[in-house]
Amino acid sequence: MQIWNSMEEVPESFGPCVVTLGNFDGLHRGHQEVLGQVRAEAARRGALSVALTFDPHPAKIHRPETAPEQIMGHADKLAAMAELGLDAVLVLPYTLEFAQQTPEEFVRNVFVDGLGACAVVVGHDVRFGKGNTGDLSTMVSLGADLGFDVVVVNDEGHDRRWSSTWVREALRSGDVDTAAGVLGRAHTMSGEVVHGAARGRELGFPTANLSPDACGIIPSDGVYAGWLTDTDGHRWPAAISVGSNPTFVGVSRQVEAYVINRPEESVEDFDLYGQHVVVEFVQRLRGMVAYTGPEALIEQMHQDVVDTRVILG
């Protein structure tokens, strides 16, 4: 999949193509349906399949104080889009100046002159152009004037429309099962493994601590069964702790994964420090509890490992 980070990177005379637009945060099942229809429509027309997205998220420019937390990092989103078989993704830098384009200017500059679109795939609620004044009827009218078809995705037939908002709600409550149902896969975070307080090692459960700037929404505090994929692509079962660990005073909120079935029991023989890893949340085991002391916590951690093994098989 080709990735272009500006209109200037799009090859001259590119097209014809079938294109859609969106933020695609989380790349949930609704997004996957849209992109699948783009691919199918492109194949039917003998055209290329393209998705247009923005960086940063427009909300971070227009209302940074209330912009939603991103479900996944930008690089992770592009990697997931590549797995769907698109020919190209155009990532346009989103600025206040860019946002001043009228709906017609935006469509003409990007879809027609830039990409040579023969068809645009959109949902019923599509909005675009200055002040989001462009809608579905606007797109249809522009298509008739500028020479492209508009294909409308039918997202009916579900009890609740798949959305990034639904995923965020589920993760904030620790309901990773529901989040996975909307996403079509388990929720993940990615980031560098950094040194922590080494308290897990002292307790006999050395953990891989994700950097505070790791990408992806942190689920609600608690312990989860899941997986850790290391830099080499090896996927390890893991018991994942999220929170500040109330048994100990002064511990900041963090995500740490205890890898099960390590090749050796000694942490020195299994060093993940500095690696960029992916942590996958499969099922919530329990909430975060303040125990009376380290002994009670260790006993519970042993049980967490047993429960994780059962869940992951």
Side-chain angles (χ1 to χ4, degrees):
M1 184 184 79
Q2 299 182 69
I3 299 175
W4 306 312
N5 292 297
S6 68
M7 291 302 304
E8 290 70 29
E9 293 184 13
V10 179
E12 291 186 20
S13 302
F14 178 81
C17 76
V18 176
V19 63
T20 190
L21 73 160
N23 294 305
F24 303 109
D25 184 27
L27 204 65
H28 55 65
R29 292 172 69 180
H31 296 142
Q32 293 166 38
E33 281 194 0
V34 171
L35 296 177
Q37 189 149 346
V38 169
R39 288 177 53 227
E41 191 69 26
R44 187 177 72 82
R45 294 168 179 263
L48 299 169
S49 57
V50 180
L52 165 66
T53 190
F54 307 97
D55 187 36
H57 191 293
K60 291 187 176 181
I61 300 299
H62 293 293
R63 43 185 179 87
E65 67 286 347
T66 59
E69 186 177 3
Q70 297 302 283
I71 296 168
M72 65 197 312
H74 181 65
D76 294 332
K77 177 174 72 175
L78 292 178
M81 294 175 84
E83 293 180 359
L84 296 178
L86 293 170
D87 290 307
V89 172
L90 171 60
V91 183
L92 290 182
Y94 195 89
T95 64
L96 289 175
E97 181 181 3
F98 177 86
Q100 293 306 304
Q101 296 179 95
T102 66
E104 181 176 354
E105 289 172 334
F106 168 73
V107 168
R108 185 185 295 275
N109 293 339
V110 179
F111 291 164
V112 179
D113 295 341
L115 295 172
C118 61
V120 176
V121 177
V122 294
H124 290 275
D125 59 350
V126 65
R127 307 293 298 197
F128 59 99
K130 184 177 180 179
N132 272 341
T133 52
D135 58 12
L136 178 58
S137 63
T138 311
M139 188 70 80
V140 171
S141 176
L142 289 171
D145 292 340
L146 299 175
F148 61 84
D149 298 326
V150 176
V151 179
V152 182
V153 176
N154 182 7
D155 59 1
E156 298 178 355
H158 308 296
D159 292 335
R160 179 177 178 181
R161 184 172 177 268
W162 289 313
S163 69
S164 301
T165 298
W166 191 0
V167 176
R168 294 188 192 97
E169 289 175 358
L171 293 175
R172 290 191 188 108
S173 66
D175 187 359
V176 294
D177 292 327
T178 293
V182 181
L183 291 169
R185 64 187 183 283
H187 173 63
T188 61
M189 293 183 65
S190 65
E192 183 181 350
V193 176
V194 298
H195 289 274
R199 186 168 286 113
R201 184 185 308 182
E202 295 170 0
L203 297 174
F205 293 88
T207 57
N209 300 276
L210 281 189
S211 168
D213 61 359
C215 295
I217 290 182
I218 302 177
S220 175
D221 288 4
V223 177
Y224 298 80
W227 302 89
L228 181 146
T229 302
D230 62 23
T231 301
D232 294 329
H234 195 115
R235 191 164 177 254
W236 304 93
I240 307 160
S241 173
V242 175
S244 57
N245 199 332
T247 302
F248 301 97
V249 178
V251 179
S252 59
R253 192 164 189 257
Q254 58 191 16
V255 177
E256 48 187 325
Y258 171 68
V259 171
I260 301 171
N261 297 339
R262 291 175 298 152
E264 298 289 344
E265 285 304 313
S266 174
V267 69
E268 288 79 7
D269 297 325
F270 187 71
D271 186 1
L272 295 172
Y273 291 124
Q275 289 197 35
H276 188 90
V277 302
V278 176
V279 174
E280 181 179 341
F281 299 86
V282 174
Q283 186 173 319
R284 193 170 192 252
L285 300 178
R286 61 179 176 86
M288 195 60 72
V289 178
Y291 292 92
T292 55
E295 294 78 11
L297 176 59
I298 291 172
E299 182 178 352
Q300 179 60 61
M301 292 169 75
H302 279 291
Q303 185 59 50
D304 293 338
V305 170
V306 171
D307 294 341
T308 297
R309 291 185 191 278
V310 171
I311 289 169
L312 300 180

